[in-house]
Amino acid sequence: MNHSPILPILVPFIASIVLLMMSACKLSWQRGVGALAVTLLLAVSVNLLLLADQPAPLVYALGDWQAPFGIVLVADRLAALVVLTMALLSAAVLLYASAGFDGKGRHFHAVFQLQLVGINGAFLTGDVFNLFVFFEVMLLASYILLAHGSGLNKSRAGFAYVTLNLAGSAVFLVALGLIYGTLGTLNLADIAMQLKTVSATEASLVRLSGALLMAVFLLKAAVLPLSFWLPHAYSAAGAPVAALFAIMTKVGIVAILHVQMIAFSAAPVMHGLLDSWLIVAALATIVFAAIGLLSAKSLQSLVAWLILGSAGLLLIVPSLNNELVTAAGLYYLVQSAVVGAAFFMMADLISNARGHIGDAFIITEWASDNKLKLGYFILAATAAGLPPFSGFVGKLMLLFAVKESVMMPAIWTIILIVSLITTIALAKAGSRLFWETPNDLASAPRPASFQHSIFQYSATFGLIAVSLLLVIFAQPLSDFTLRAAEQLHAPEQYIEAVIPHHADIQRGVRP
Amino acid sequence: MIESVLLPLTLFIAVSGVALPLMVERYGRKAAAIAAGAVMALCLASLAPLFSSAISGQTVIAHFDWLPSFGLNLSFRLDGLSMLFSILILGIGILVVLYAHYYLPEDDKLGRFYALLLLFMSAMLGVVLSENLLMMVVFWEVTSLSSFLLIAYKSASHESRIAARMALVVTGAGGLAFLAGVLLLGNVAGSYELTDVIAAATQIKADPLYPTILTLVLLGAFTKSAQFPFHFWLPNAMVAPTPVSAYLHSATMVKAGVFLLARFYPVLSGTDAWLFSVSAIGGITLVYGAYLAMYRNDFKGLLAYSTISHLGLITLLFGLSTPMSVVAAVFHIINHAIFKASLFMAAGIIDHECGSRDMRRVNGLFKLMPITATLAMLAAGSMAGVPLLNGFLSKEMFFTESIVFQGFGNSHWILPIFATIAGVLAVAYSVRFIHDVFFNGEPVDLPRQPHEPPRWMRVPVEVLVVLCLLVGIFPAWSVGALLASAAGATLQSTLPVYDLKIWHGFNLAFLMSLIALAGGVGLYMMRSTLMRWNDQLPTISSRTFFERAYQNLAAYAENILLIMDNGSLQRYMAVFFLFVFIYGAWAFISGGSMVNAVSSLPLDVASGIAFFALALGALGAVFMHHRRLLSIILIGIVGLVVALIFVRFSAPDLALTQLSVEVVTTVLMLLALHYLPQYTPKESSKTRVVRDVLLALGIGLGMAFVSFELLTSSFSTISDFYLQQSVPGGGGSNVVNVILVDFRGFDTLGEITVLAMAALGTHALLNQLRLMQPMPDSAGRLWAEDAHPLFLKMLMRPLLPLALAVAVYIFLRGHNLPGGGFVAGLVTGVALILQSLAGGFAFAEDRLPKSYPPILGLGLAMAAGVGLISWFFVRPFLTSAHGHIEIPLVGDIELASVIIFDLGVYLVVVATVLLILTELGRLNMKGARV
Amino acid sequence: MEAILAIAIGLLFGCGVYLMLRARTFPVIIGLTLTSYAVNLFLFASGRLVVNAPPIISADIVRYTDPIPQALVLTAIVIGFGMTAYIVTLALRGLSESGDDHVDMIEKTADSASNQLPKRRL
């Protein structure tokens, strides 16, 4: 019995139970448990990646009830890849948060682990209702983490985020009701099979269910016009939380990819549901993010806009539905999550060192050090998609991959111009933060140098190092994403692995 | 070829050498300089073995696959052109390293400077050695990035920062255009390897995309080479330390643009589009740069504009696209690099010694620093095109070419005139530089007393000036072979016949040279008149313009953003619902079918009344939502009717759950309302109400329609499996419960996780809540004056054991009859809460657990633990087991392992309800204490 | 009967959506509650309407209603309860921090009693 697909969910789950039990214990003990858990999570994620790198995904039938009757976890290459990315990020975030952020409110460590449970569950599950449940676990954890610490900004952004997502959850449930009410199943592979034989009378309801499902995922993925919440929420959250959120929009994208590629793309009834319009919205999102970048007033909000831009870029993947684009998109997904997280941490490091002015783009005298400058430079160049950093590799792969599309001129123009705008905005921001000094130097006292926590430093620069490794190991990684894309674009294997004897499944007609 | 490994090796040395100066800077400035010089020398040594094959016209290629699926490979190439540029980059690089050691102030440890210089050098080397075009773009952009850092080296200065960003924006934008051009080019050619692209030249030129490709590639080249109208960044970049100007802005980086013209010459040239666009831009830049150079008072600025002009000349020559003009272009690349680098370094020495670069103050230096002056004058002579110096030769070639060129048809006379004007201007600004700086009276009010620089600071200038003379006097012997192989590699065909020598006889070209010399001197004589005229022209500093443009852009963006996103949640919600409505409606309608269905179940009176109550409750809640207490009661009614609907349609479990949740939710809402305002103000504008009503109507009608469609259609489902397997497989006859704790137990695990988290979240939120007073009602009364009514206390005490007994009963029967852990948990929770309501929170606090999170943990642990046990039986997580147990007196009891799971659910629910409600209650106590 | 239930679902949705679009936290929460009733009813209805056939296995009964939607609705109710509890506390915290119960949590200062939009931080 190979339990590896469930381990990325169970490890943080058990850790959270332990943390709940010891909620009265000292923070340092909780940190220890958390650290142990993410280390273990990293190990099981690497293991899962190695195991899942095969043509057929790993299937784990919970409760020993076979699909489509029971809930199954399906670890395909995509899921394994994002789970590992998640594990990596969570290790860095936990390290960063352990410098003191975790003590700013109650239950940080337990909720943090549950956040990982939710995200990993959403990545791995092969059942759409179970996906809903894990979405809710993920969302509630993110609500709590967003509110961690205090401040009106957090409450305001939090209330908007929660309300909007609750509306999204309602739509999700309606979609699930429609799916069950027409197809009679909740298992993704089974849905894929059922979609192939939808009768003409049901087509409308089935399409509606698909549209509502996608609308919910698109809300999480923050496509324009559903993206307004993101910059507010991500710039209000505490830095480690924002760093963790760098991968949250990706959950929406991964869900879209799974549902779209496994179930929808081969079904005539879903024809044109997403690919007929999403590219326009994706490009609009990128442009919107660029507008936001230019008007950002602080580094953290600027990074939030960067995250939105990368989300827009990733949405090109489901809208084009092309294997090479998917492969490029997956590389971009990993790199943008890592860089986004590191950038949020960097903003916080800078903010701490600058004292009460924080990361706002206001000129002040402060003791910046060369490490921060170097880190900022690398992150800014990466985010702007300048070589030789991973952002460029990802962008180049995407540009290359979309060359067959009819939308190519628009995609290229927008991506390249937005790259330029990003460069301009980040250069200006860097100049403001690091170079410019107040005019009356005489009156401003020379600030004392700021001592950063070693935890915070190593977490931030660890992620920066990872982003550099993504360039050095671009070849094996892109080979992997190519294989992952191949697997996604050939859903038969997925379906066969989940439900080997599909013809034998009995169905009753109601009413 | 085995030697081809030397290509990647060279780049490896260059890149890995970048950090070296930083590492050795602690051993002193000299160590940093030696390290940087050594890295460059090592690169040169590593490349040198390949030069012989390049000279003989061969192309060395080294290819390694990297991301072949995306066209990006590590492939490198050395031919005559890349050899020429490598020698320029590394040779001048070494001289600049030496020079910078003396130029930069003593307190600069130089590690960072040399690291940046090496980074730039590596990138340049990468550009010229790339065989893969995407690779070339990578290095290309790194030159922009590293030059940004070099220009901003003195980041404390406002001018430096703006100049750096300006250079980054202009060259970065060009780089992106270049990237797009290369991507298209590779797409058309089917490969990104230069060799293949050159081979596909005919096909590329015939492609409809050719004009686009040409435009994009030229944008890259022109921005980098500071061609009009992108030239403005270069003079501003002069704020960089002079070694940087000498290296980047005369010898190498700006040459990257013309390198690009040379590289793509065999691919893109030979069309009218190339001829007219390249030569026009080059020609304009040539004259415009020279004209502006004349008016600079800052001699470094003069050199900068002269550089622009000379780059224009080279561009113009490439544009003419005859074999001979290409030879002249390549030759001028060499010559310009040599004389301009030496001029910049000489200028740096003067600046260094005088503390000023203003030619109105820096005068008469010949007496004070005769050697430097002589060197600078020789180099300036070369710039002006004085015979016996290298600049003369390539300028002569240009003049000859301008005479014989026939590409412009009847207008062929334009070119020679144009060339002569440019020559006149070049002589004029060269004379100005020489005369103003070294003669023209005495220095005026200089900050420092100038004298000759340190011996070694002058060496690089001396070396370069000697080269000017060598090439000028013995051209064929000194650069003949290099020029031939570079020009050959550029043309990718046989070279034209030409003769590298000083004297070609008294011909038209020589006459043009003479006119240029004489006219230039004459123009300089008239300088005061010209200056006065020029001063009248309106000027705008490109720096101010750039900053203002950025500010406008940012302000514009902010305005757009404010229009799109006003920060209002109401708008977000409206947009979301509208999106869902439109997307859903479109998807539904495009599905094409419509079922003509009728209700199958008859309507009965009871249902009608229930519906009436539900509608009353819902609409009442809407119309009277300003009265908050009332709306809680009204939605309570709706909740009850929903429970009734569940009962009516065979869902007793749901009804039970709905009812108990309803109770807890109502308590929760009432507690919350205790602190909130009692009334909602009427503040929505009419239009907003109309908008919201329309949206609500649309969604409501849509959902009603969809529900009806769904309810009246038939479908096939897998649900029979659960009905069949519930008893034999799950050991329970309540199928819903078996699904919850067994078939889909994983969902339930997630569900109680959500519950536990809701409790944790409430706990965390309320912990930090500032104390607040309950809101009085409009009459100023607080809510309850009598806190704990006695009768309630009396009533509740005996009720508690009863309620607990009911809970146990509901829990135990859950697996077979409606009930289960969740409902039992709610009943228990409510009973305990009512106790505390009756007895007061202080009373309850003494009797209830102090800390709930461990109980939540325990509940989750039970649920997950029973799932984990199945691992020991080699079964997946959450596999259940069940069996019959014979208990004396009670009889036969069906016991399933899931009962422990359900117990976990029970614990989580109880703890959650108690935690949330007591936390809310405790707020009251906090408030009361203040 | 199906028609009347469909109308009920639509009515609850419409009312819920309208209230969720209001400007104060409390009606928004009421709206969320109404919407979740509607959603639960809809999800439940996806198994179609069957009278007097609860899914409790008994030897002498042959007809049962579809148990899956019921299980799903149960999960949805519980999750909805958790979310409601959380958003209620979030609203309370917003009230305590801004001094007002507007959904945009406008900070109440002496001079801004009117309906002014919150200061943007971005």
Side-chain angles (χ1 to χ4, degrees), chain B residues 156-168:
Chain B
S157 127
H158 177 63
E159 286 81 17
S160 294
R161 295 190 302 255
I162 296 187
R165 285 197 289 123
M166 200 189 288
L168 180 67

PDB file of all heavy atoms in Angstrom, chain B residues 156-168:
ATOM      1  N   ALA B 156      24.332  58.479  -5.318  1.00  0.00           N
ATOM      2  CA  ALA B 156      23.891  59.591  -4.488  1.00  0.00           C
ATOM      3  C   ALA B 156      23.521  60.798  -5.343  1.00  0.00           C
ATOM      4  O   ALA B 156      22.823  61.690  -4.885  1.00  0.00           O
ATOM      5  CB  ALA B 156      24.987  59.966  -3.496  1.00  0.00           C
ATOM      6  N   SER B 157      23.980  60.802  -6.583  1.00  0.00           N
ATOM      7  CA  SER B 157      23.692  61.980  -7.408  1.00  0.00           C
ATOM      8  C   SER B 157      22.389  61.809  -8.178  1.00  0.00           C
ATOM      9  O   SER B 157      22.133  60.772  -8.789  1.00  0.00           O
ATOM     10  CB  SER B 157      24.869  62.216  -8.361  1.00  0.00           C
ATOM     11  OG  SER B 157      24.411  62.304  -9.684  1.00  0.00           O
ATOM     12  N   HIS B 158      21.613  62.851  -8.123  1.00  0.00           N
ATOM     13  CA  HIS B 158      20.305  62.866  -8.768  1.00  0.00           C
ATOM     14  C   HIS B 158      20.439  62.588 -10.267  1.00  0.00           C
ATOM     15  O   HIS B 158      19.717  61.774 -10.841  1.00  0.00           O
ATOM     16  CB  HIS B 158      19.705  64.254  -8.523  1.00  0.00           C
ATOM     17  CG  HIS B 158      18.384  64.487  -9.162  1.00  0.00           C
ATOM     18  ND1 HIS B 158      17.269  63.752  -8.827  1.00  0.00           N
ATOM     19  CD2 HIS B 158      17.991  65.359 -10.116  1.00  0.00           C
ATOM     20  CE1 HIS B 158      16.249  64.173  -9.542  1.00  0.00           C
ATOM     21  NE2 HIS B 158      16.655  65.143 -10.341  1.00  0.00           N
ATOM     22  N   GLU B 159      21.425  63.249 -10.905  1.00  0.00           N
ATOM     23  CA  GLU B 159      21.613  63.098 -12.347  1.00  0.00           C
ATOM     24  C   GLU B 159      21.943  61.647 -12.692  1.00  0.00           C
ATOM     25  O   GLU B 159      21.435  61.102 -13.664  1.00  0.00           O
ATOM     26  CB  GLU B 159      22.741  64.006 -12.849  1.00  0.00           C
ATOM     27  CG  GLU B 159      22.395  65.473 -12.919  1.00  0.00           C
ATOM     28  CD  GLU B 159      22.504  66.153 -11.566  1.00  0.00           C
ATOM     29  OE1 GLU B 159      23.152  65.566 -10.654  1.00  0.00           O
ATOM     30  OE2 GLU B 159      21.945  67.250 -11.404  1.00  0.00           O
ATOM     31  N   SER B 160      22.807  61.038 -11.889  1.00  0.00           N
ATOM     32  CA  SER B 160      23.192  59.657 -12.170  1.00  0.00           C
ATOM     33  C   SER B 160      21.985  58.739 -12.171  1.00  0.00           C
ATOM     34  O   SER B 160      21.814  57.900 -13.043  1.00  0.00           O
ATOM     35  CB  SER B 160      24.172  59.149 -11.105  1.00  0.00           C
ATOM     36  OG  SER B 160      25.366  59.844 -11.197  1.00  0.00           O
ATOM     37  N   ARG B 161      21.131  58.932 -11.161  1.00  0.00           N
ATOM     38  CA  ARG B 161      19.989  58.025 -11.043  1.00  0.00           C
ATOM     39  C   ARG B 161      19.058  58.163 -12.237  1.00  0.00           C
ATOM     40  O   ARG B 161      18.613  57.169 -12.816  1.00  0.00           O
ATOM     41  CB  ARG B 161      19.224  58.329  -9.750  1.00  0.00           C
ATOM     42  CG  ARG B 161      20.017  58.054  -8.501  1.00  0.00           C
ATOM     43  CD  ARG B 161      19.143  58.143  -7.280  1.00  0.00           C
ATOM     44  NE  ARG B 161      18.488  59.442  -7.146  1.00  0.00           N
ATOM     45  CZ  ARG B 161      18.867  60.379  -6.272  1.00  0.00           C
ATOM     46  NH1 ARG B 161      19.874  60.150  -5.474  1.00  0.00           N
ATOM     47  NH2 ARG B 161      18.214  61.511  -6.205  1.00  0.00           N
ATOM     48  N   ILE B 162      18.784  59.400 -12.598  1.00  0.00           N
ATOM     49  CA  ILE B 162      17.865  59.588 -13.729  1.00  0.00           C
ATOM     50  C   ILE B 162      18.496  59.075 -15.016  1.00  0.00           C
ATOM     51  O   ILE B 162      17.857  58.382 -15.815  1.00  0.00           O
ATOM     52  CB  ILE B 162      17.463  61.065 -13.872  1.00  0.00           C
ATOM     53  CG1 ILE B 162      16.694  61.476 -12.629  1.00  0.00           C
ATOM     54  CG2 ILE B 162      16.611  61.264 -15.116  1.00  0.00           C
ATOM     55  CD1 ILE B 162      16.109  62.847 -12.747  1.00  0.00           C
ATOM     56  N   ALA B 163      19.792  59.398 -15.192  1.00  0.00           N
ATOM     57  CA  ALA B 163      20.458  58.959 -16.414  1.00  0.00           C
ATOM     58  C   ALA B 163      20.450  57.442 -16.510  1.00  0.00           C
ATOM     59  O   ALA B 163      20.221  56.871 -17.584  1.00  0.00           O
ATOM     60  CB  ALA B 163      21.889  59.481 -16.425  1.00  0.00           C
ATOM     61  N   ALA B 164      20.673  56.791 -15.372  1.00  0.00           N
ATOM     62  CA  ALA B 164      20.705  55.334 -15.381  1.00  0.00           C
ATOM     63  C   ALA B 164      19.350  54.767 -15.771  1.00  0.00           C
ATOM     64  O   ALA B 164      19.236  53.865 -16.604  1.00  0.00           O
ATOM     65  CB  ALA B 164      21.126  54.819 -14.006  1.00  0.00           C
ATOM     66  N   ARG B 165      18.313  55.343 -15.180  1.00  0.00           N
ATOM     67  CA  ARG B 165      16.992  54.822 -15.499  1.00  0.00           C
ATOM     68  C   ARG B 165      16.614  55.121 -16.943  1.00  0.00           C
ATOM     69  O   ARG B 165      15.961  54.312 -17.609  1.00  0.00           O
ATOM     70  CB  ARG B 165      15.950  55.408 -14.538  1.00  0.00           C
ATOM     71  CG  ARG B 165      16.026  54.767 -13.152  1.00  0.00           C
ATOM     72  CD  ARG B 165      14.780  55.026 -12.361  1.00  0.00           C
ATOM     73  NE  ARG B 165      14.704  56.419 -11.949  1.00  0.00           N
ATOM     74  CZ  ARG B 165      13.699  57.232 -12.244  1.00  0.00           C
ATOM     75  NH1 ARG B 165      12.688  56.772 -12.935  1.00  0.00           N
ATOM     76  NH2 ARG B 165      13.706  58.471 -11.842  1.00  0.00           N
ATOM     77  N   MET B 166      17.052  56.269 -17.406  1.00  0.00           N
ATOM     78  CA  MET B 166      16.760  56.624 -18.786  1.00  0.00           C
ATOM     79  C   MET B 166      17.416  55.624 -19.741  1.00  0.00           C
ATOM     80  O   MET B 166      16.787  55.103 -20.671  1.00  0.00           O
ATOM     81  CB  MET B 166      17.294  58.030 -19.046  1.00  0.00           C
ATOM     82  CG  MET B 166      16.689  58.728 -20.231  1.00  0.00           C
ATOM     83  SD  MET B 166      17.596  60.234 -20.577  1.00  0.00           S
ATOM     84  CE  MET B 166      17.109  61.279 -19.256  1.00  0.00           C
ATOM     85  N   ALA B 167      18.679  55.334 -19.465  1.00  0.00           N
ATOM     86  CA  ALA B 167      19.388  54.376 -20.313  1.00  0.00           C
ATOM     87  C   ALA B 167      18.710  53.014 -20.245  1.00  0.00           C
ATOM     88  O   ALA B 167      18.539  52.329 -21.259  1.00  0.00           O
ATOM     89  CB  ALA B 167      20.847  54.261 -19.871  1.00  0.00           C
ATOM     90  N   LEU B 168      18.295  52.642 -19.028  1.00  0.00           N
ATOM     91  CA  LEU B 168      17.659  51.332 -18.872  1.00  0.00           C
ATOM     92  C   LEU B 168      16.350  51.277 -19.657  1.00  0.00           C
ATOM     93  O   LEU B 168      16.067  50.289 -20.336  1.00  0.00           O
ATOM     94  CB  LEU B 168      17.390  51.058 -17.386  1.00  0.00           C
ATOM     95  CG  LEU B 168      16.729  49.723 -17.093  1.00  0.00           C
ATOM     96  CD1 LEU B 168      17.666  48.580 -17.422  1.00  0.00           C
ATOM     97  CD2 LEU B 168      16.281  49.624 -15.654  1.00  0.00           C
TER      98      LEU B 168
END
